[in-house]
Amino acid sequence: MTLPFGSTAAAMITPFHPDGSLDADGAQALAVHLVDRGCDALVLSGTTGESPTTSDAEKDALLRAVLEAVGDRARITAGVGSSDTRHSIELAQAAERAGAHGLLTVTPYYNRPGQEGIRRHLAAVADATALPVMLYDHPGRTGSRLDRETLLRLAEHPRITAVKDSTADLAACAHMMARTDLHYYSGIDELNLPLYALGAVGAVSTVANLAPGETRAVLRAHRDGDPAAALRLDRRLRPLVEAVMNLAPGTVTTKALLNHLGLPAGPVRLPLLDAEPALTAVLLEALTGALDDGTDPDQIQRSKGRSRV
């Protein structure tokens, strides 16, 4: 099965220099690292990528840099979410011009339109380019969700082909997978394996920034007919998932660990705050237990992550 959004997709962080400016070279190095270690797709300018605090120009520069580095080896999806339909269309068209392979568009947040407004917004973005579109359903962040009838109507659009689900409603996901041809992706790392077992095709994972091979291995074991191995691998990864996703915002925890590993990350932008040393220590303990080869993160050389393409 050809998957226009890949299977193991990292919701990639956006690396910044110490002064807070975009680190395009670092983005290339991190993208190479992730693809080399198991990701067949990257999603840029999502929540983990700090899209609310990056400019349109930075989003474009980031996308072009990553495409140059790994665009021939991985599917690169550009986040184009906005509460303004016109702005989302502009972002989508800019991503198409840059060469993105697909688009991720979230339901409008803050203004919280009704279901028909959401449907028209998402359909307008899908109409604006020739790229495949992944819908992002995350009511915890947007204040609204895609109901079943709205999804059924959107599934009829020829370019809306996938859903990144962060509702934690497995029953609703199973219902939609049975009634549509939409490709479902887990948007909650804790539910990657359960949703995959129900028929999802992959995950858009924050934790894949830190454990790309391990994230991929869980899904691959289940796909290859070894659910016991998949469960064992998932349980090994779970302490890291719970630490990264629950102790602070995922961008904060992920960047703290990447910085410790010497991989390109840099600071977060306000209103987020960088992790304190005590939090980083807890995160490192969880990471050490999750690494497939038992590597001590302190032994990873900084030069590995900072090699340029």
Side-chain angles (χ1 to χ4, degrees):
M1 178 170 50
T2 300
L3 298 173
F5 298 98
S7 179
T8 306
M12 200 176 99
I13 60 106
T14 299
F16 298 135
H17 291 294
D19 66 359
S21 61
L22 177 68
D23 182 2
D25 289 343
Q28 290 190 318
L30 180 60
V32 169
H33 169 85
L34 295 175
V35 173
D36 284 349
R37 285 157 179 78
C39 290
D40 63 349
L42 303 173
V43 176
L44 309 179
S45 297
T47 306
T48 306
E50 297 181 77
S51 60
T53 56
T54 55
S55 69
D56 292 2
E58 287 174 322
K59 290 179 174 66
D60 187 71
L62 173 69
L63 174 58
R64 290 177 184 274
V66 170
L67 283 165
E68 180 182 23
V70 297
D72 60 337
R73 297 196 292 135
R75 306 299 296 175
I76 309 302
T77 298
V80 297
S82 168
S83 292
D84 178 354
T85 305
R86 292 174 299 176
H87 188 206
S88 283
I89 287 172
E90 291 169 359
L91 289 172
Q93 292 171 339
E96 183 178 41
R97 289 192 298 271
H101 302 143
L103 305 174
L104 174 72
T105 181
V106 71
T107 55
Y109 43 86
Y110 189 72
N111 46 14
R112 296 176 63 183
Q115 288 296 309
E116 181 59 15
I118 291 173
R119 187 194 69 80
R120 292 190 189 188
H121 170 91
L122 297 173
V125 175
D127 286 339
T129 78
L131 296 175
V133 172
M134 177 189 287
L135 306 179
Y136 188 13
D137 193 4
H138 196 337
R141 289 189 179 274
T142 65
S144 59
R145 67 175 294 177
L146 288 164
D147 70 23
R148 294 183 181 186
E149 289 306 312
T150 302
L151 269 171
L152 287 171
R153 293 179 68 187
L154 288 168
E156 297 173 356
H157 196 290
R159 286 183 291 282
I160 294 176
T161 62
V163 176
K164 178 186 176 184
D165 185 84
S166 293
T167 67
D169 189 342
L170 296 179
C173 292
H175 176 86
M176 294 309 302
M177 285 186 279
R179 294 193 60 185
T180 72
D181 293 326
L182 291 169
H183 293 147
Y184 263 69
Y185 290 79
S186 172
I188 299 177
D189 275 283
E190 294 92 330
L191 296 181
N192 287 353
L193 179 58
L195 192 59
Y196 195 75
L198 286 172
V201 299
V204 180
S205 166
T206 295
V207 173
N209 283 281
L210 301 162
E214 291 79 5
T215 301
R216 178 174 180 245
V218 172
L219 304 183
R220 171 172 270 190
H222 192 280
R223 185 201 67 190
D224 290 347
D226 194 345
L231 183 58
R232 183 175 66 254
L233 292 166
D234 181 71
R235 286 177 174 172
R236 179 174 183 171
L237 193 58
R238 189 158 293 273
L240 175 64
V241 170
E242 292 177 352
V244 167
M245 302 311 299
N246 297 324
L247 296 181
T251 305
V252 172
T253 53
T254 300
K255 281 196 165 185
L257 285 172
L258 289 173
N259 282 323
H260 184 88
L261 294 173
L263 291 163
V268 296
R269 284 181 176 172
L270 283 170
L272 297 179
L273 297 175
D274 291 318
E276 296 290 340
L279 172 58
T280 302
V282 174
L283 294 167
L284 282 167
E285 182 177 357
L287 179 63
T288 302
L291 290 176
D292 187 47
D293 60 1
T295 301
D296 181 348
D298 287 319
Q299 300 303 314
I300 298 176
Q301 298 298 317
R302 295 187 66 87
S303 61
K304 288 184 178 181
R306 298 302 296 184
S307 61
R308 297 305 191 206
V309 295

